[in-house]
Amino acid sequence: MDVIPKKSLGQNFLIDKNVIKKICEVGNINKQDNVLEIGPGTGKLTEAIILKKPQKFIVIEKDKSLIKNLNEKFRRNAVVINEDFLKYDLSSLSNKNLIIFGNLPYNISSKILTKIISYNKKDFLFKRLIFMFQKEVAERILAKDNTKNYGRLSIFSSWKLNARKIMDIDPSCFYPKPKVTSTLLIFEPKSNYVEFENSRNLEHITNIFFNKRRKMIKKPLDILFNNSKNIVDELKLDVKLRPQNLDKDTFYKLCLIYEKLIK
Ligand code: SAH
């Protein structure tokens, strides 16, 4: 390969043809769908997506040194944008037929997911996300309450998304080989979710609880609420429980109560 991969940008390029084919199949692109690919890199997945002939295709790549090559290869079939996805304004992409793909840079994968979820204008629409994570991050996203991986990311992801594991992917499918196993996930937006004034409040609450995940929930409740006793009664909480014992709905309820109080 003529590109020297940059560790700082999380560059582990996919090289396994079967995995690339599988990711594309899972995306199930129809002719009326629009596609966004985050971090196309050297463009192996991009090539496979183009064969499915999406209506519109946009790729966003931060690494300037890859852009010339991407433009040469894909100019006729895709809009190539040289930007940092974390700074990109998503508004113009909102579409109920939008499918987003990303073999994500692992150092910012949860930030990328959080950005999509925490879009606060109600109208950011998309159909599905097909994202590759490092396995342990995928496990945190999928975790249920009362398990060791359960935490902020599980609660935040399932607030708006249904997530499902497709498969684990071996380091040998990438160049250079990452040190960890990867996991491919598919997400679909929930048709109904609890509406908050600001998603930051949910992040704030889960931060306070999971900051000390082994401690009893009495402390974080007292930090967040002056009248914590009333809330404990209202939600019938046992203050001796640990944060991981509270199910997701309880955190969403706590966030609603919190938002009313800070108004
Ligand atoms: N999709 C390609 C590359 C995956 S590696 C493949 O599967 O082969 C991750 C890619 O994300 C790299 O190309 C890296 O340059 C790009 N990237 C890293 N940070 C980014 C950011 N903030 N915004 C957009 N792209 C980014």
Side-chain angles (χ1 to χ4, degrees), residues 23-175:
I23 296 175
C24 219
E25 273 170 25
V26 169
N28 189 17
I29 303 167
N30 292 318
K31 298 231 159 32
Q32 74 277 18
D33 290 330
N34 295 341
V35 172
L36 165 68
E37 186 187 359
I38 302 169
T42 49
K44 286 282 190 298
L45 178 59
T46 320
E47 279 167 21
I49 292 172
I50 282 175
L51 295 177
K52 304 286 177 188
K53 299 192 169 37
Q55 186 159 82
K56 271 194 210 157
F57 187 20
I58 294 174
V59 305
I60 301 180
E61 171 58 59
K62 184 175 176 183
D63 187 350
K64 201 167 177 225
S65 68
L66 297 174
I67 292 297
K68 186 162 169 265
N69 178 50
L70 288 169
N71 261 323
E72 272 166 17
K73 273 200 195 149
F74 305 120
R75 192 172 13 219
R76 283 183 301 128
N77 306 92
V79 178
V80 178
I81 298 175
N82 181 203
E83 249 201 74
D84 179 343
F85 178 76
L86 295 177
K87 294 187 183 142
Y88 192 78
D89 178 7
L90 293 176
S91 317
S92 63
L93 300 178
S94 172
N95 187 301
K96 68 176 184 0
N97 291 324
L98 176 68
I99 304 172
I100 310 181
F101 288 84
N103 167 23
L104 301 179
Y106 290 163
N107 48 348
I108 55 165
S109 62
S110 36
K111 274 200 189 139
I112 289 176
L113 185 66
T114 306
K115 172 173 169 126
I116 292 171
I117 298 172
S118 55
Y119 191 82
N120 264 321
K121 293 174 214 158
K122 263 197 216 137
D123 56 349
F124 183 59
L125 305 171
F126 59 89
K127 196 185 223 175
R128 66 180 74 91
L129 314 172
I130 320 291
F131 282 168
M132 182 95 75
F133 294 90
Q134 82 180 66
K135 188 174 182 194
E136 60 171 35
V137 174
E139 284 169 347
R140 279 162 46 207
I141 291 169
L142 297 172
K144 304 266 180 330
D145 50 314
N146 292 307
T147 65
K148 76 171 188 330
N149 291 319
Y150 182 65
R152 293 158 43 189
L153 203 51
S154 346
I155 295 163
F156 204 68
S157 315
S158 22
W159 167 37
K160 282 193 185 173
L161 304 173
N162 288 314
R164 193 159 49 83
K165 175 168 170 171
I166 304 296
M167 58 179 173
D168 286 335
I169 294 167
D170 192 80
S172 63
C173 300
F174 302 86
Y175 173 83

